[in-house]
Amino acid sequence: MNLAKLRGALAEKGMTQRELAEKLNLSTKAVNEKLNGKVKITVDEAAAMSKILKLENPNAIFFD
């Protein structure tokens, strides 16, 4: 998993961790921990993030 690319995609879309957390129905702390590699991102969360961030190539981020 390439968390730097994921954080970059978040910044590119102009979305904050708080906004992403709201869309995922998670706490901001939980999203922060996931984006910093402290907690694993589930397959369902990866799919939701891909859709929310409209990622063109999610495999490059989640299966790097």
Side-chain angles (χ1 to χ4, degrees):
M1 180 158 317
N2 191 325
L3 295 173
K5 284 185 181 180
L6 181 56
R7 288 190 300 272
L10 188 65
E12 188 177 291
K13 301 295 181 183
M15 186 177 291
T16 65
Q17 288 184 16
R18 173 185 255 166
E19 292 169 330
L20 181 60
E22 289 173 3
K23 292 179 183 290
L24 293 170
N25 293 317
L26 297 171
S27 69
T28 303
K29 180 182 178 192
V31 168
N32 180 275
E33 289 175 341
K34 290 174 185 293
L35 293 178
N36 286 303
K38 294 178 183 175
V39 176
K40 289 188 178 187
I41 296 172
T42 68
V43 172
D44 289 339
E45 290 167 343
M49 287 180 194
S50 295
K51 187 174 181 180
I52 291 165
L53 296 173
K54 298 177 183 164
L55 299 176
E56 291 181 22
N57 187 7
N59 288 342
I61 293 174
F62 298 107
F63 302 106
D64 186 9

